[in-house]
Amino acid sequence: MMDFLKTPVFGILLSVVCYEIGILIQRKTKNPILNPLLLAIILVILVLTVFDIPKETYDLGGSYILFLLGPATVVMAVPLYRQINLLKKDWLPILVGIFVGSATSVLSVIGLARLFGVNIEIAVSMLPKSVTTAIGMEVSKEIGGVVSLTVAVIVLTGILGAVMGPFILKLLGIKDEVAQGVAMGTASHAVGTSKAMELGETQGAMSGLSIGIAGLATVLIIPLVIGLLG
């Protein structure tokens, strides 16, 4: 058994099994709060804690899953390609919406951090909360954030976006499919995009596009804002 734990197979298998359990629970309960990703994270932590398994042991396999985040994000270009005519038609409002959304995400973190007196290191770690993990980790490293905290905040942001996003869109009366997709992707990256795809192909395509552009926008906005605010 110890030999098995020391192989990458353990981390990969544990992640897949916990995620499948999360999907099963969500389908049975139909409760949007019971997000499969959130449930998988909780289950993995419970297993590692109960059986006293070091995080480093899990990371032998978990690192492979982390590596696949990049290719998984690129694959989202497929539904975008199918909706390329729609992108050509509305490219300006789409780009403006994504850049404004990204700027709002960064500025809201700074504003709330100052309001509540949050430690600067923690505040900096939360700045890339709305971009996909692969981009957020690199941004956090460059600006002196705590990468592990950044990852946790990104995951939490994605889950909240996937859970609350459709409700907020409905509450505000936003029915345009392009606007729905841009909002979900810009605010809650890949996790939000998975939910956007459930809403429709157009929403999924626009959300997938928003991930990449929002990542680029955030990379440009964060150093600028930090420089201006000191």
Side-chain angles (χ1 to χ4, degrees), residues 3-21:
D3 291 337
F4 172 69
L5 292 178
K6 294 179 181 179
T7 65
V9 178
F10 166 71
I12 296 173
L13 185 61
L14 177 61
S15 300
V16 172
V17 170
C18 289
Y19 186 71
E20 288 297 325
I21 293 174

Side-chain angles (χ1 to χ4, degrees), residues 2-72:
M2 291 303 298
D3 291 337
F4 172 69
L5 292 178
K6 294 179 181 179
T7 65
V9 178
F10 166 71
I12 296 173
L13 185 61
L14 177 61
S15 300
V16 172
V17 170
C18 289
Y19 186 71
E20 288 297 325
I21 293 174
I23 291 176
L24 180 62
I25 293 174
Q26 207 276 332
R27 285 177 179 172
K28 291 289 185 181
T29 61
K30 299 187 183 300
N31 189 333
I33 297 178
L34 298 177
N35 183 275
L37 180 59
L38 175 61
L39 293 175
I41 292 172
I42 294 173
L43 289 173
V44 168
I45 293 175
L46 284 175
V47 170
L48 297 182
T49 302
V50 170
F51 294 98
D52 196 25
I53 300 173
K55 177 180 174 294
E56 291 73 19
T57 300
Y58 168 75
D59 281 343
L60 292 175
S63 59
Y64 285 90
I65 297 176
L66 182 62
F67 171 77
L68 293 174
L69 283 174

Side-chain angles (χ1 to χ4, degrees), residues 131-190:
V131 300
T132 189
T133 307
I135 297 175
M137 290 174 63
E138 295 303 317
V139 172
S140 183
K141 290 177 184 177
E142 290 296 324
I143 60 178
V146 180
V147 177
S148 57
L149 176 59
T150 300
V151 172
V153 173
I154 289 174
V155 172
L156 180 59
T157 300
I159 292 172
L160 288 174
V163 173
M164 299 296 295
F167 170 74
I168 294 174
L169 292 173
K170 185 177 180 179
L171 181 66
L172 297 177
I174 300 175
K175 298 180 180 180
D176 185 84
E177 294 179 346
V178 174
Q180 290 178 344
V182 170
M184 293 289 287
T186 303
S188 49
H189 52 83

